[in-house]
Amino acid sequence: MTATLDSRFSDTCQKILDVLEREVERHLAYTLGHDATAVEGPYLYRALAIAVRDRLVTEWRETRARMAASEQKKVYYLSLEFLIGRSLSNAVANLDLEESVRKSLHQFGVELEEIAEEEQDAGLGNGGLGRLAACFLDSCANLQLPVVGYGLRYEYGMFHQRIENGRQVENPDHWLRDGNPWEFERTESARRVHFYGHTEHYRSEDGIAKVRWSGCHDVLAMPFDLPIPGYRNGTVNTLRLWKALATDEFDLDEFNAGSYTEAVAAKNMAEQITMVLYPNDSSENGKELRLKQQYFLVSASLQDVLAEWVKTHGEDFSEFGSSNCFQLNDTHPACAVPELMRLLIDEHDVEWEQAWSIVRKCMAYTNHTLLPEALERWSVRLFSNLLPRLLEIIYEINARFLAEVAEQFPGDAEVLRRVSLIEDGEHPHVRMAYLAIVGSFSVNGVAGLHTKLLKEGLFKDFHTLWPDKFNNKTNGVTQRRWLAHCNPKLRDLLIESIGPEWQTDLSHISKLAPFAADAGFRDRWRVVKQHNKQRLIQTVKRETGVEFSDSALFDVQVKRIHEYKRQLLNVLHAIHLYDRIQRGETAGMISRCILIGGKAAPGYHVAKLIVKLVNDVSQVINNDPAAHDLLKVVFLPNYRVSAMEVICPAAELSEQISTAGKEASGTGNMKFMMNGALTIGTLDGANIEIREHAGDENFFLFGLDAAGVATTRTNYRPNEIIAADPEIERIMQMLEGGVFSRSEPGIFSMLTTGLRNPHDPWLTIADLRSFIDAQKRANDAYRDPDHWNTMSILNTASSGWFASDRTIGQYAEEIWNVKPLS
Ligand code: 26Q
């Protein structure tokens, strides 16, 4: 830069800074009406958020205009969950405002980090699936792809978890109480969604058979738009969240009958639809309100897209299928298949064949589970009551589909029964995954093994019918949140050593590999990790009172609590270490801090009992002076996105220990890898690919693989394994003898009998010896810090494949067929 340019540039920076400073002040005083003499954190957060938001608005409007003007294909990501977490720091980083924001906050004597802490997490998701949707939106904006997210604006997100006497207690998460500075209500785009009522078949004036859905209760869908900024690229995409409102003519009958107050109170019925996010919970399966949520999202979003289409193309839908793509995030929005049929046929007079060919051109379905019990089914009775017109369409789709199959497999009634969209029986059900498969041109799994198992198992018949529909898209995570933002010390070290390109293209991270051999670099790597461990130490101390030591190995498992994820296996290992300590077998044992966190679905009793066990084991171990210097165990309450932002930079050992063949992919595993943790894991989900990329010498592998799991099941005798292995025997004795349940004898018997059950689906005891041995290898590796840091650096260096930019690039090219819009 020349001197004049240079000074012009710094002039501009100064102006931005001055303006930002003044705008924060202006928003404090005028937008929020706050007395600026003693500024409180929450006010400062809101004033700053609005000032930053203002800077997004122009680029946002321009991106929308580009989208509207472009004839290019567009993609809509339909998801019941978007777990976006906090937005302020993300917007600041993506707009390159960090320096000016910091300076303008200094006048108030605070740091950006403190103010960022004031923001509530937008917890509009359960876990992996919801967070994946958020990482995908970030990547779409980074790649400047014409993608809009559609979801629900839940008044209450994922519950807050407290621990009381070792047990999980749920508290409501009223995240919108203080308003949400990131959202814009768009009253002009409200839509109406039908429920209940009945169908009427009639002939139009020109003699065409038509169907009317009448006598329905309508609910208003009000859109709220959130900006999704790209990384310093002028693109700001949109996440549109729908809120349910009563229509103005709500229960007019009641109103006319004079019960005005009752009629107003009845508004609640409609507005309940978006009141609360369902915590993924098997006991909640089949709840009508959940189906209402699903249909509400799908109908409002499809109407929105069709309305835009009609604005520019009129009633000509010949190009609709090739110009639009709906990606279904699991089967939760699978009603999109019959709903798009309904809208085209009933509301836009398209004929069945054309409508069906449009639907099958623009729907794509992503599966996220291998657990057969987790596949969504809806009772036909409930469906016909709530969505009578949709059920008719599903029956018609099914009849035509089964006729097609019968032609391919003449005389095979069994195959028809197996693939039918309707599961027959006393209480027939709609099979949502089959509906999604039949209605889509693409079906994808989320990791290599997962996709293979879908083809061979759950969806075998469909794979035989349509092999080309099936494809794999291994998940990824955004390195901008999960490395650059959450680990600023590492970000700076990376930029200094390999340049900044990895922030927008993580394949550049491989340039780090040679640095693993550089002793000076390894030392700087260690210093960064120590710094991050200090940060987590403070969090753990504040939340639990337990003091971790920064010289211990930080051994971390954070994820939803589920039997298949085997937090129990982790606890059994902790008990084993404690047993060795008590027996004085501590030669060569490193000091270890085990951190476990995650929420249990409120109705999932076994999961809640596992939470109780972790807490009770931690009580005993942490209060035993004999264990003091060698072992700490902590359950960190209320695990969420912003907690992971502190946890993953500090982790050294990442526990990915699910029963092989059960975890579709995992994405926490990728965040840990990026931040230099080593994985101890089974050959499950994306662990397999993590190991392939990191090298097997940089990964602690244990346990049965998916094939081994299948054969072991046929002849599994956990009691014999326990009896034959004294160390395992002692673990069980401690558990069963009440060492961790002195005040409530027998409370964990459900867990111990599960472990000893030959039909234990999770095969925990089958993998325990192998797990203990792998933990021993991790222990020994940690004793050589040089070696450990080399492995750590190589893990980060090989994490390029696990960027959601790569995943989204593949969706764009191989499924969506869309190009960047710049
Ligand atoms: C079910 C019934 C009623 C209400 C809610 C639900 C429900 C909600 C959320 C069922 C499932 C979910 C979420 C599933 C999920 O997060 N799956 C994870 O998806 C990740 C992203 O692909 C994978 O990495 C994980 O392996 C997978 O478990």
Side-chain angles (χ1 to χ4, degrees), residues 628-644:
H628 190 79
D629 293 325
L630 284 172
L631 183 62
K632 292 263 160 61
V633 178
V634 142
F635 184 88
L636 188 72
N638 203 33
Y639 174 61
R640 60 198 186 281
V641 172
S642 58
M644 184 57 153

Side-chain angles (χ1 to χ4, degrees), residues 81 126 128-129 132 278 280 285 290 332 368 446 475 564 663-667:
E81 309 193 359
N126 274 282
L129 167 151
L132 185 75
Y278 268 96
N280 170 16
N285 271 342
R290 170 75 177 177
H332 312 158
H368 297 265
V446 291
N475 284 166
Y564 84 79
E663 188 71 270
S665 162
T667 43

Side-chain angles (χ1 to χ4, degrees), residues 512-762:
L512 188 65
F515 289 85
D518 174 342
F521 186 83
R522 282 199 302 265
D523 202 50
R524 298 182 69 187
W525 190 265
R526 183 188 55 77
V527 170
V528 169
K529 188 58 89 177
Q530 290 306 112
H531 168 89
N532 293 332
K533 286 170 79 173
Q534 283 300 337
R535 198 158 55 130
L536 181 57
I537 286 170
Q538 286 170 25
T539 301
V540 167
K541 171 83 179 147
R542 189 178 64 241
E543 302 292 325
T544 71
V546 177
E547 274 184 63
F548 275 5
S549 152
D550 72 351
S551 60
L553 169 71
F554 278 25
D555 171 348
V556 179
Q557 185 178 27
V558 284
K559 49 183 79 236
R560 288 301 289 265
I561 310 292
H562 204 294
E563 289 162 279
Y564 84 79
K565 295 178 186 281
R566 296 200 298 196
Q567 281 90 0
L568 199 46
L569 182 59
N570 198 0
V571 175
L572 296 181
H573 172 249
I575 295 174
H576 164 70
L577 291 181
Y578 183 51
D579 175 47
R580 278 180 50 194
I581 292 168
Q582 283 191 319
R583 297 161 53 82
E585 289 174 10
T586 56
M589 189 187 283
I590 56 153
S591 170
R592 198 189 275 249
C593 293
I594 300 175
L595 183 144
I596 298 176
K599 290 172 183 174
Y604 188 174
H605 296 295
V606 176
K608 290 182 126 176
L609 196 54
I610 293 171
V611 171
K612 171 74 171 155
L613 177 65
V614 175
N615 278 294
D616 290 1
V617 166
S618 102
Q619 278 293 323
V620 171
I621 293 177
N622 300 344
N623 289 316
D624 186 339
H628 190 79
D629 293 325
L630 284 172
L631 183 62
K632 292 263 160 61
V633 178
V634 142
F635 184 88
L636 188 72
N638 203 33
Y639 174 61
R640 60 198 186 281
V641 172
S642 58
M644 184 57 153
E645 290 168 5
V646 179
I647 295 167
C648 73
E652 295 176 295
L653 187 62
S654 153
E655 302 271 349
Q656 307 301 336
I657 60 181
S658 51
T659 311
K662 295 297 171 194
E663 188 71 270
S665 162
T667 43
N669 47 3
M670 302 168 184
K671 296 164 198 169
F672 285 118
M673 180 198 205
M674 267 179 202
N675 285 278
L678 275 67
T679 304
I680 180 163
T682 48
L683 287 177
D684 200 14
N687 299 349
I688 295 175
E689 290 152 76
I690 285 179
R691 179 164 169 268
E692 280 164 9
H693 283 264
D696 41 9
E697 69 282 14
N698 301 310
F699 186 107
F700 300 106
L701 178 69
F702 78 97
L704 296 163
D705 63 8
V709 163
T711 52
T712 302
R713 281 232 172 86
T714 62
N715 184 25
Y716 178 46
R717 291 200 282 267
N719 280 321
E720 289 178 14
I721 301 173
I722 294 167
D725 189 326
E727 287 187 329
I728 296 183
E729 173 105 87
R730 279 199 299 274
I731 297 170
M732 293 303 288
Q733 273 168 8
M734 289 171 81
L735 261 175
E736 291 166 337
V739 173
F740 308 104
S741 47
R742 289 266 172 257
S743 56
E744 295 172 82
I747 53 164
F748 300 123
S749 65
M750 195 171 359
L751 300 179
T752 51
T753 53
L755 291 170
R756 290 182 176 279
N757 187 341
H759 301 291
D760 173 19
W762 322 115

Side-chain angles (χ1 to χ4, degrees), residues 82 137 146 158 206 216 231 301 339 384 489 543 651 662 704 707:
F82 286 92
L137 292 186
M158 189 62 197
D206 29 6
C216 25
Y231 188 76
S301 309
E339 175 65 0
S384 71
K489 288 266 188 298
E543 302 292 325
K662 295 297 171 194
L704 296 163

Side-chain angles (χ1 to χ4, degrees), residues 84-131:
I84 49 189
R86 292 175 175 153
S87 293
L88 176 63
S89 307
N90 188 245
V92 168
N94 288 14
L95 293 174
D96 201 4
L97 287 175
E98 186 173 330
E99 211 179 316
S100 48
V101 165
R102 282 189 190 284
K103 281 192 194 144
S104 66
L105 284 179
H106 285 161
Q107 67 174 322
F108 300 100
V110 291
E111 289 299 327
L112 172 56
E113 287 74 13
E114 282 171 69
I115 294 306
E117 283 285 312
E118 296 285 348
E119 182 172 4
Q120 295 260 358
D121 278 38
L124 309 185
N126 274 282
L129 167 151
R131 183 54 229 176

